[in-house]
Amino acid sequence: MRARDKAAVSALRTTLAALDNAEAVPVDEAELRGVALEQSPVGVGATEAARRELSERSVVDVVRAEAAERLEVAAQLTAPAQADRVAQLRAEAAVLVRFLDGPGTA
């Protein structure tokens, strides 16, 4: 990371965001409409919701899906002008696959 590996930084940032999204708990629509403004909770942590804890298998599935998505998009980009973007997507997918292969290869 210190070498400013842009592909690794980009892949890891978006994958961490995907993991955060996977941990989110769905909000009931009734909860969104149910309380008047003056009755809404106030204070630090008043609106915090417990997050799901992902299993190791779920984390691997999310990372694998992120890598597959990059490879799929790279395969769809065929114009010569998009060659740089294709190379970037493939490099990001390779970074994620290295993490899936094991701790000694990352």
Side-chain angles (χ1 to χ4, degrees), residues 8-93:
V9 170
S10 177
L12 294 176
R13 280 186 180 157
T14 56
T15 302
L16 285 173
L19 289 168
D20 276 345
N21 289 339
E23 290 176 339
V25 176
V27 176
D28 185 21
E29 191 174 321
E31 290 178 30
L32 295 175
R33 293 185 266 133
V35 180
L37 182 60
E38 62 273 4
Q39 295 174 338
S40 61
V42 178
V44 175
T47 59
E48 291 293 319
R51 297 184 66 80
R52 285 186 275 197
E53 190 165 326
L54 297 178
S55 67
E56 185 174 338
R57 178 72 185 155
S58 296
V59 171
V60 168
D61 288 344
V62 170
V63 175
R64 191 177 313 278
E66 287 291 309
E69 181 180 343
R70 283 168 173 74
L71 292 174
E72 183 180 321
V73 171
Q76 292 174 358
L77 298 175
T78 58
Q82 297 171 329
D84 290 341
R85 180 70 178 138
V86 169
Q88 179 184 359
L89 288 168
R90 288 187 177 146
E92 290 178 10

